[in-house]
Amino acid sequence: MRKIVLFQPEKPANTGNIIRLCMAMDFSLAIIEPISFRLDDKSLKRAGMDYAQGFPIERYRDLETFLKAHLSYEGYFVTRYSPNVYSDFDLSDPNRDQFYLFGRESTGLPRQLLEANVRKTMRIPMAINARSLNLSDCVSIIAGEVNKQQDYHGLAVRECIKGKAFVLH
């Protein structure tokens, strides 16, 4: 199982976008509380569209509870402070349980967590003067890399809804 994990997300629009991405890219989603909005928030629904309705979201009361529940998972911690580039990791096994933990929009992940797991931290390269990327953009980049390395396992690589000849007419 592949899981996106949000640590105390602050912006409902980002979370809505991530719900939609998780559904489309075949990731499960977990949220570590507390969060500063309700999961039925209007902007969450707008960003997630109809994907937000009924999409299962695991909720954990704190980081320790989440980590204890996922001891068997290969965990990755996404942070701008990592010395490791995300594309250098071997994420190619679709049968390995993996989680990708993303920090709060304002403060990221706790420093102690990063220090304890530095070999499993990953960064997204960006311009030297850039402070950060949008959270939902970061999730998209990592999810895309995982799917690429796993050869899009379980995903449609051909048009299924409108038919494979849709653009040929």
Side-chain angles (χ1 to χ4, degrees):
M1 174 176 287
R2 301 147 359 134
K3 186 176 295 194
I4 298 296
V5 185
L6 305 179
F7 175 74
Q8 301 177 353
E10 300 166 302
K11 299 187 181 196
N14 281 338
T15 301
N17 286 333
I18 292 166
I19 290 169
R20 186 175 183 181
L21 177 101
C22 285
M23 183 272 165
M25 296 289 182
D26 197 28
F27 280 79
S28 63
L29 177 63
I31 293 178
I32 299 170
E33 298 179 338
I35 59 176
S36 60
F37 55 89
R38 294 182 15 214
L39 287 175
D40 61 353
D41 187 283
K42 184 179 177 182
S43 59
L44 172 86
K45 288 181 181 176
R46 182 174 34 246
M49 296 177 56
D50 58 336
Y51 298 114
Q53 297 174 341
F55 185 82
I57 301 171
E58 299 172 25
R59 294 174 76 169
Y60 295 87
R61 71 174 187 264
D62 55 40
L63 183 59
E64 292 165 297
T65 303
F66 170 80
L67 292 173
K68 283 181 185 175
H70 292 83
L71 292 173
S72 66
Y73 278 63
E74 185 83 23
Y76 298 94
F77 307 85
V78 183
T79 175
R80 65 168 292 149
Y81 304 110
S82 177
N84 313 306
V85 174
Y86 73 93
S87 56
D88 290 340
F89 286 89
D90 179 3
L91 311 171
S92 63
D93 186 353
N95 299 310
R96 190 172 63 193
D97 290 335
Q98 302 167 334
F99 71 77
Y100 303 88
L101 182 58
F102 296 82
R104 302 179 78 196
E105 287 94 337
S106 63
T107 59
L109 292 170
R111 185 175 183 171
Q112 293 163 314
L113 176 71
L114 299 174
E115 288 173 346
N117 295 282
V118 70
R119 288 186 18 244
K120 293 295 184 173
T121 62
M122 52 174 61
R123 79 175 279 116
I124 298 168
M126 56 186 164
I128 292 170
N129 295 339
R131 288 192 323 266
S132 65
L133 290 165
N134 178 279
L135 176 61
S136 61
D137 293 337
C138 293
V139 174
S140 295
I141 291 167
I142 299 301
E145 179 69 18
V146 172
N147 278 322
K148 178 183 173 197
Q149 286 194 29
Q150 294 180 4
D151 200 27
Y152 306 101
H153 179 79
L155 299 179
V157 293
R158 306 279 184 274
E159 173 54 37
C160 297
I161 296 173
K162 296 197 178 206
K164 62 183 178 182
F166 180 74
V167 297
L168 300 177
H169 296 314

